Amino acid sequence: ATPRFRGDTTMEDLPTVRTSLDGGDVTPPGTPRSKEPPATPTTPSIGGAVKSSGWRSLTPYPLEEKWDNVLPVGPADRHRQGVLSNGMRYYVHRAQKPKDRAALALAVDVGSVAEEEDERGVAHLVEHLAFRATQNFGNFEIVRFLESIGAEFGPCQNAYTSMDETVYELLVPIDDAGSKNLTKALAVLSEFASRVRISDADVNDERGAVLEEMRMGRDARGRASEAYWKLLMKDSLYAERLPIGLEAVIKKGNPAVFRKFYQKWYRPERMAVIAAGDFPDLDAVVNEIENAFGKCAPAPGQPHVNPDTPRPPVAFHASPRVTCSVDKEHTKTTITLTFKYPANPISTPGDFFQKTVEEAFKLALDNRLYKLMRKADPPFFSAGCSVEEATRTVSVFSAQIVCEEGKKSVVRGLEAGLRELARARVHGFSEQELKIARAKQIADAQQFFVERDQTYCTSLRDELAGHFLRGELVVGAEEEARMTIACVERMTVEDLRVFAQRCRLDASCVIRAMEGRATVKEADIAAAAAKIQDEENRGLIAKNGAFDVPETLVDAGRLPAPGGVVETTAFSKMGFNVSSLANGVRVATKTTDFLDDQVLVRAFARGGLSEVPEKQYLDALYAGTIAGELGMFGLRPETLFDALAGKRADVAAKTGTYFRRVDGDTSPTDIETGLQLMYMLFTQDVRSMLVPEELEAVLRMQEQAIRNRNRDPASVYNQTIRRLVYGKTFQSAPLRVADVRKMVPMNACEHFNAAFADPSQFTVVLVGAFDEKRVLKMCEKYLGCITAPPPPNVSVSDGAVIGDVWRRDDFENITPAPFTFPKGAVTREIRSYMVEPMSMASITFPVNIKNPDWDVDRRTSVVTVDGSVTLTREKLLCVFATSIIERRLLALLRFKFGEIYTCAASASFAFEDPLARGALFRGDVMINFSCDPAAGKRLARLALEDIKALQLFGPTVEEVASAVEVETRALEVREQENAYWRDYYEAVHNSRLRDLLDGDLDALFSLSEKTRRELMAALTPEMIKEHLQRCLDVRHRVVVVLRPQRPLWRRALLPDPTTAEGLAVLSLYGVAAGAAAYLRLKKKAAQ
């Protein structure tokens, strides 16, 4: 396998603290500056692990002896490979996760760089056509087959085309019920290999979907990436062969050209079929492959000799290339520094060592940039590095810097980034910095080794495709772990300094400044680069200073006395044991064997932002952001980052509409570190971390994010939907720039302190591979010793004490959020100035489920088992109906009319009162798609008519069967994941039936499973139809369409009466016409 450098980011990604709007979370936008902690353990202790992983027993790898050896694919006992008589290669690998699944691929060694001028875009469109029809599968039979077996189908899920390759991918169930799926799936791939239909009608019908995919990729980020790519690859054919191609070819390309390309390049010698899965008999799979692909041959009339694959050279250059990209839709001001050098294929241990050095350099430089952006008045908001194989022949190392808007800020950020690169070239890195990078690399390798028998089949499939296409190492987890240890031990600071010479201004450097409005010029960029080069030449670049890393996170000698277990209850059906600690914390544990190096931890409590009054809302909303930026664990984030090097213990807190959570993901050997972090979060006073100079940078960052967001049409579109669908309340109002300074940072810190202070409000769930007895002792030590603090004395302007929001005994009666769906049909057209014209459309319907427990006379809800079951069934019916709606609209708008690339339909109950105390249980169903600017309203009407037809006539038997099969297969996979059981426990614990059933979570679990499985087994078209008629009233809906703003002259001469502006113009015309008529009459009367 290629090295697991899990820290890699893409050129456009940056280290972030992740916040989410899912599940009712409401979090402010921003460009966060915090990095995620590194992964996996290096400590010799097995901590909370069930058993030793064998890591410490690995034998040394003879790196020097095998330095230049091209290593065979392995391990041999779970792998088969060979070449069919027609020249096609095959790779078969046993992978046991997920159970009863097989990941298949057909890799074709050709991409868009092989296209002629009149073929630009053909390779990608041929990939689309494969799923439309082949010689033996009619129109979309392949899609229907995938849906019928519960396999995923959708954009970017089943195939991709790059400049150098095309790969088709399938993930299919192969259990007893699906024993023939493997045979048929391989037959599908064999059709792709030589029998795609490509009729004139096929090509013409698929053009619209590809054009829409092109439009989707032409947002601000896509435009900037395309322009930057062309500058990077200037003077190479790679610069002109983007896979999406030319609009003219997509719209009007001769279908004969498409057929010619397919026949020329789709040859067995250029292909490999790959199968990785839960195979009991590898040789039987080889036989299946021989039967499916053995007769594939070049198209009739094609030469016997396989044509040479073009691999155009990329010109290297001594002078930096500089560009300033201005796009008013950019949501960030960024600087990108990129350095090109020859690609280093990973086929020998020596290559692996060079990749290890490359990654260590990235990690060390990342760490320096991170510390720099954590300073008071930092030169930039965030920064991060990436290493990518740009083409088969060229690799790129990039540093991306996000800074404040304005010439001064851009130049300052650029100079800071260039100076750090110069410092690495001149002085290299310290032994301390190398030690941290080594720890992270060893940690990643250890995680891969520990979970060697649980690698997902899709990952192995992708590795084997990389081996065929690029010659990458696939040697097995044990061999790779031994190589990693040997490479890391051999690596020195001098190796990193040597690599740093690749990042010189005279070494094929490209610099881009990307802004929303023009403030900086190319001359400013060139001057900044010259300034730093002059500092380097004159020896003015100083060494990097040393920094302190704490030896321990928690002083065990100063911990309060542990809080022991006072009661334990076993719930055997769910597989959980629940222990109550003396301080009121409840600890629920479930041991699994899904992943040997994962323990998921979640502390959850009821009570969220719905409890916060309007005057305190901004403070509470920003509490997590402020705490995360300054140090929610009582340590500065950059210090904590270094302290956690080599450990996998990631912990973060967030507050949603109705809940508070502290989520952790740890290795069993590092679970103690994760629990220490939870102890620190609950006991530290975030106010003590408040440094005015650092806070100012955070506030400016938030202001800039809001300012930038308002320039992005898609962001404005999403804000409008949220505002219209959930009513005009302060919770749903979009944030304004002025709101940032209205927030009181000290109050935000106090909100965070108070929200995560009282341990008795929280239940802690641990799911994964751990020794329950040892881990429970750790919970007693670090969680059981937490005591509730005294009431806070910080008050806000309205006189209410902040802590009163969170110190309640009645969170069982949480405050419902005041979200209301509008009455009637609300249609809003958003006209936005766009660089590239595009359109997005959404339709949202309210879901109103009658509460079966509602007592009309008493105007209250009385919880019953039967009522809860009925409510659960209705919610499940809504989810299945939404799944059917999505597939129908995809079939209608893409497959039939060819006017969209994809669409999404989703059901949400996130903002409804989870206790269901009203007469109705409310949710919504949203449909969303993008399309041609002129088609938004028309396609929205088509979608609405199809939903009305579904409501009137119901779905087909086949549509229901596909929905059930997809959910069944997805459930089989989810049940093998720790996150599923963590979330399931939280849902059962918070159920309104819990008290009614005397806290018997097993009874709740059994009832939930019985309700779901009975519904799935008995689901009929009539049930879906009746549910839609009962709960979905299409008369009430919110339709939002985003379209480009028309030119001013058209708006003036041809006003649109459906917009406020158009009505105003027509009114002015009316006033003007009336005034003119009055003057004529007055003049006539005067005569």
Side-chain angles (χ1 to χ4, degrees):
T2 54
R4 263 35 166 222
F5 296 134
R6 289 185 174 86
D8 277 3
T9 56
T10 67
M11 193 179 293
E12 298 293 338
D13 292 329
L14 293 170
T16 59
V17 166
R18 302 294 181 188
T19 55
S20 170
L21 291 176
D22 294 339
D25 290 1
V26 185
T27 51
T31 311
R33 302 184 298 156
S34 301
K35 267 193 171 180
E36 296 176 0
T40 326
T42 59
T43 54
S45 168
I46 66 171
V50 178
K51 60 183 178 181
S52 173
S53 65
W55 172 260
R56 301 183 69 194
S57 302
L58 287 172
T59 58
Y61 188 80
L63 183 62
E64 306 300 332
E65 178 184 331
K66 296 190 175 185
W67 189 265
D68 293 320
N69 292 4
V70 176
L71 302 179
V73 177
D77 63 338
R78 60 180 66 187
H79 179 77
R80 300 286 186 274
Q81 70 179 75
V83 183
L84 301 180
S85 58
N86 56 12
M88 182 181 292
R89 296 182 180 276
Y90 65 83
Y91 302 88
V92 179
H93 207 98
R94 181 180 293 115
Q96 296 170 331
K97 195 171 184 65
K99 187 176 183 295
D100 297 327
R101 292 295 185 278
L104 311 176
L106 176 70
V108 188
D109 190 19
V110 69
S112 59
V113 78
E115 296 168 344
E116 301 294 339
E117 186 63 26
D118 65 339
E119 296 175 328
R120 292 174 65 178
V122 168
H124 174 237
L125 209 146
V126 164
E127 171 226 303
H128 273 243
L129 292 170
F131 289 94
R132 178 172 281 272
T134 66
Q135 290 181 16
N136 295 311
F137 290 91
N139 285 356
F140 303 112
E141 281 186 22
I142 291 172
V143 175
R144 288 193 287 273
F145 159 65
L146 293 175
E147 290 178 343
S148 72
I149 64 173
E152 292 290 337
F153 175 78
C156 305
Q157 287 187 339
N158 298 99
Y160 71 86
T161 302
S162 73
M163 295 187 188
D164 290 306
E165 65 210 40
T166 305
V167 180
Y168 300 87
E169 300 170 340
L170 300 176
L171 177 64
V172 298
I174 54 170
D175 55 4
D176 291 339
S179 57
K180 296 181 180 180
N181 292 341
L182 179 63
T183 301
K184 191 166 183 179
L186 289 171
V188 167
L189 291 180
S190 73
E191 294 282 304
F192 294 169
S194 58
R195 292 183 287 274
V196 178
R197 194 170 65 188
I198 318 185
S199 67
D200 289 9
D202 290 331
V203 174
N204 292 331
D205 289 344
E206 194 64 23
R207 295 184 197 271
V210 178
L211 284 170
E212 184 51 38
E213 185 179 356
M214 172 181 273
R215 265 191 296 270
M216 289 173 65
R218 294 287 298 168
D219 58 6
R221 178 171 169 171
R223 292 189 295 270
S225 296
E226 180 178 335
Y228 195 44
W229 175 262
K230 290 182 176 180
L231 184 64
L232 276 172
M233 298 295 153
K234 183 180 177 183
D235 300 326
S236 170
L237 188 63
Y238 278 114
E240 305 302 326
R241 290 296 183 267
L242 293 170
I244 196 65
L246 296 179
E247 185 173 346
V249 174
I250 299 171
K251 278 185 173 180
K252 300 179 180 179
N254 188 336
V257 173
F258 292 74
R259 289 189 286 270
K260 176 185 172 184
F261 181 92
Y262 177 74
Q263 292 164 359
K264 177 181 179 180
W265 294 108
Y266 275 59
R267 304 170 57 99
E269 315 97 299
R270 309 188 67 85
M271 298 179 184
V273 59
I274 298 148
D278 191 12
F279 304 128
D281 186 344
L282 296 178
D283 295 324
V285 179
V286 172
N287 290 334
E288 293 261 22
I289 290 172
E290 290 173 341
N291 293 334
F293 294 89
K295 295 182 181 180
C296 290
Q302 293 299 310
H304 292 294
V305 179
N306 185 15
D308 290 335
T309 307
R311 301 283 183 232
V314 175
F316 295 95
H317 45 94
S319 299
R321 294 175 182 170
V322 176
T323 183
C324 295
S325 168
V326 179
D327 191 313
K328 62 186 177 184
E329 295 175 19
H330 280 323
T331 57
K332 291 185 285 190
T333 299
T334 61
I335 306 151
T336 308
L337 308 168
T338 302
F339 303 88
K340 296 180 293 185
Y341 50 90
N344 177 34
I346 310 170
S347 55
T348 68
D351 297 334
F352 193 93
F353 175 78
Q354 296 302 326
K355 187 68 177 176
T356 303
V357 171
E358 180 183 72
E359 174 64 11
F361 176 83
K362 186 196 90 69
L363 291 170
L365 185 61
D366 253 341
N367 205 4
R368 280 196 183 175
L369 294 173
Y370 185 49
K371 287 179 170 56
L372 194 56
M373 71 190 186
R374 298 300 318 180
K375 291 180 178 293
D377 191 25
F380 43 75
F381 287 152
S382 61
C385 304
S386 67
V387 184
E388 299 178 74
E389 184 185 89
T391 71
R392 295 279 179 89
T393 58
V394 174
S395 291
V396 294
F397 182 92
S398 300
Q400 190 180 78
I401 297 164
V402 177
C403 56
E404 197 167 5
E405 193 174 68
K407 175 181 174 180
K408 182 178 178 182
S409 297
V410 172
V411 171
R412 185 181 177 217
L414 172 62
E415 289 179 354
L418 289 171
R419 190 173 287 113
E420 288 309 313
L421 283 165
R423 202 184 319 278
R425 291 192 298 270
V426 174
H427 302 292
F429 293 93
S430 68
E431 290 291 346
Q432 183 186 31
E433 291 171 305
L434 179 58
K435 179 181 178 181
I436 291 172
R438 281 172 170 163
K440 295 173 185 176
Q441 290 178 297
I442 290 291
D444 277 345
Q446 184 172 354
Q447 182 180 16
F448 179 46
F449 172 76
V450 171
E451 295 176 352
R452 58 193 177 278
D453 295 326
Q454 297 151 335
T455 303
Y456 275 78
C457 58
T458 48
S459 297
L460 283 167
R461 175 194 63 195
D462 296 345
E463 290 175 8
L464 290 165
H467 173 77
F468 166 69
L469 295 165
R470 295 177 291 279
E472 296 175 356
L473 282 175
V474 182
V475 295
E478 182 171 341
E479 193 81 348
E480 184 174 327
R482 294 170 62 216
M483 270 197 297
T484 300
I485 295 170
C487 290
V488 168
E489 289 177 349
R490 186 184 194 274
M491 183 170 55
T492 67
V493 290
E494 180 60 22
D495 291 317
L496 270 62
R497 198 185 69 80
V498 169
F499 180 86
Q501 306 313 307
R502 290 184 169 181
C503 300
R504 303 191 315 271
L505 289 171
D506 63 353
S508 297
C509 173
V510 181
I511 306 174
R512 173 187 65 176
M514 191 168 71
E515 301 181 281
R517 62 183 183 88
T519 68
V520 68
K521 299 179 180 178
E522 291 182 6
D524 301 320
I525 302 296
K531 174 184 175 181
I532 302 305
Q533 186 62 62
D534 181 62
E535 288 182 12
E536 183 176 352
N537 295 340
R538 293 167 57 198
L540 301 179
I541 304 292
K543 276 189 174 184
N544 194 54
F547 48 89
D548 295 327
V549 179
E551 293 292 329
T552 59
L553 296 178
V554 175
D555 183 351
R558 302 181 63 180
L559 282 174
V565 173
V566 296
E567 182 183 12
T568 298
T569 306
F571 297 104
S572 57
K573 292 181 179 178
M574 286 192 74
F576 278 93
N577 292 320
V578 181
S579 301
S580 298
L581 304 185
N583 62 350
V585 174
R586 294 158 299 281
V587 179
T589 55
K590 178 182 176 70
T591 58
T592 69
D593 58 1
F594 304 144
L595 290 172
D596 285 345
D597 201 51
Q598 184 185 68
V599 180
L600 296 184
V601 186
R602 170 173 290 170
F604 64 87
R606 275 184 171 164
L609 293 172
S610 71
E611 310 296 334
V612 180
E614 184 172 1
K615 289 185 178 180
Q616 300 184 36
Y617 188 73
L618 281 174
D619 299 337
L621 181 65
Y622 273 103
T625 299
I626 298 299
E629 291 290 342
L630 300 180
M632 66 175 64
F633 302 101
L635 291 174
R636 291 169 58 89
E638 65 273 25
T639 303
L640 180 66
F641 184 76
D642 288 336
L644 293 176
K647 296 180 183 292
R648 192 162 73 80
D650 184 10
V651 175
K654 64 179 180 180
T655 302
T657 303
Y658 296 118
F659 64 83
R660 289 156 287 156
R661 287 185 186 138
V662 181
D663 276 332
D665 186 345
T666 83
S667 167
T669 54
D670 287 325
I671 191 170
E672 185 167 11
T673 300
L675 293 173
Q676 287 174 347
L677 289 172
M678 295 186 80
Y679 167 80
M680 295 163 71
L681 187 146
F682 273 87
T683 58
Q684 297 297 323
D685 186 349
V686 179
R687 292 174 300 178
S688 66
M689 306 300 294
L690 204 59
V691 179
E693 295 81 5
E694 294 181 10
L695 176 65
E696 179 59 28
V698 176
L699 300 182
R700 294 205 316 268
M701 176 179 64
Q702 296 298 318
E703 290 173 327
Q704 188 69 61
I706 296 171
R707 209 175 283 121
N708 292 344
R709 182 194 63 194
N710 292 335
R711 291 199 294 250
D712 177 31
S715 295
V716 174
Y717 167 77
N718 289 325
Q719 287 180 51
T720 303
I721 294 172
R722 179 184 174 90
R723 188 71 162 150
L724 291 174
V725 168
Y726 296 120
K728 296 182 179 180
T729 67
F730 65 88
Q731 289 101 330
S732 63
L735 288 167
R736 300 166 299 172
V737 174
D739 290 333
V740 176
R741 301 290 172 168
K742 291 179 182 177
M743 179 266 300
V744 181
M746 187 63 75
N747 288 345
C749 290
E750 181 55 35
H751 268 289
F752 188 86
N753 286 344
F756 299 96
D758 187 351
S760 65
Q761 295 180 350
F762 285 82
T763 298
V764 180
V765 186
L766 299 99
V767 183
F770 59 90
D771 184 286
E772 190 169 13
K773 185 177 179 181
R774 288 204 303 271
V775 168
L776 197 55
K777 286 292 184 184
M778 296 177 193
C779 291
E780 291 176 340
K781 181 177 181 180
Y782 296 108
L783 304 180
C785 71
I786 303 171
T787 58
N793 56 13
V794 176
S795 299
V796 290
S797 57
D798 65 348
V801 176
I802 290 176
D804 289 347
V805 173
W806 307 106
R807 296 195 181 288
R808 287 177 39 185
D809 296 325
D810 60 344
F811 274 135
E812 295 299 317
N813 297 310
I814 55 179
T815 305
F819 297 118
T820 55
F821 199 94
K823 299 292 185 182
V826 177
T827 301
R828 178 70 56 86
E829 181 178 280
I830 304 170
R831 291 281 190 170
S832 180
Y833 292 99
M834 297 180 185
V835 178
E836 294 273 351
M838 53 85 70
S839 179
M840 299 175 75
S842 74
I843 314 174
T844 308
F845 305 97
V847 175
N848 290 306
I849 301 172
K850 289 183 179 180
N851 186 350
D853 287 333
W854 179 252
D855 188 320
V856 178
D857 296 328
R858 296 170 56 190
R859 306 291 298 170
T860 188
S861 176
V862 180
V863 180
T864 66
V865 172
D866 289 343
S868 292
V869 168
T870 300
L871 188 57
T872 299
R873 284 175 58 86
E874 291 288 6
K875 290 164 66 177
L876 288 170
L877 283 167
C878 186
V879 171
F880 278 110
T882 304
S883 174
I884 292 169
I885 287 170
E886 180 175 291
R887 287 178 177 79
R888 284 171 63 102
L889 292 182
L890 191 64
L892 176 71
L893 302 182
R894 177 178 175 178
F895 299 154
K896 182 177 180 179
F897 294 114
E899 295 201 63
I900 67 170
Y901 176 52
T902 187
C903 69
S906 59
S908 173
F909 298 94
F911 295 113
E912 177 55 301
D913 177 6
L915 300 181
R917 289 169 291 186
L920 296 173
F921 190 83
R922 303 168 304 158
D924 59 79
V925 168
M926 178 184 290
I927 294 98
N928 216 328
F929 55 85
S930 63
C931 57
D932 183 273
K937 286 186 174 181
R938 177 172 55 82
L939 295 183
R941 286 195 297 271
L942 281 173
L944 178 60
E945 290 305 314
D946 190 69
I947 292 168
K948 287 180 178 178
L950 180 65
Q951 194 177 45
L952 183 62
F953 303 109
T956 66
V957 172
E958 291 77 14
E959 287 171 336
V960 172
S962 290
V964 171
E965 186 67 16
V966 168
E967 174 60 20
T968 299
R969 296 305 188 178
L971 184 60
E972 289 172 354
V973 174
R974 291 200 303 268
E975 287 178 336
Q976 300 174 52
E977 296 172 348
N978 291 322
Y980 173 82
W981 293 102
R982 176 200 61 192
D983 296 346
Y984 206 146
Y985 182 87
E986 182 181 9
V988 171
H989 178 91
N990 287 336
S991 170
R992 63 198 196 115
L993 279 180
R994 190 185 68 185
D995 291 340
L996 190 65
L997 297 178
D998 298 323
D1000 188 346
L1001 301 189
D1002 268 346
L1004 263 171
F1005 171 72
S1006 298
L1007 185 64
S1008 173
E1009 290 295 292
K1010 181 173 181 287
T1011 302
R1012 175 172 55 189
R1013 297 191 186 281
E1014 285 182 353
L1015 176 69
M1016 292 171 64
L1019 192 61
T1020 65
E1022 190 69 20
M1023 291 167 66
I1024 295 292
K1025 182 180 76 172
E1026 291 175 355
H1027 168 79
L1028 290 173
Q1029 292 175 351
R1030 209 167 39 239
C1031 302
L1032 196 74
D1033 189 346
V1034 296
R1035 295 174 301 174
H1036 303 291
R1037 59 184 181 270
V1038 172
V1039 181
V1040 180
V1041 178
L1042 172 68
R1043 299 180 67 187
Q1045 181 60 279
R1046 298 189 303 163
L1048 182 61
W1049 68 269
R1050 288 182 63 88
R1051 287 148 54 203
L1053 297 179
L1054 300 170
D1056 183 352
T1058 65
T1059 66
E1061 179 190 71
L1063 288 173
V1065 172
L1066 289 172
S1067 297
L1068 287 174
Y1069 282 168
V1071 171
Y1078 171 76
L1079 290 174
R1080 285 196 300 270
L1081 289 173
K1082 185 176 180 180
K1083 183 177 180 180
K1084 185 176 182 181
Q1087 293 175 349

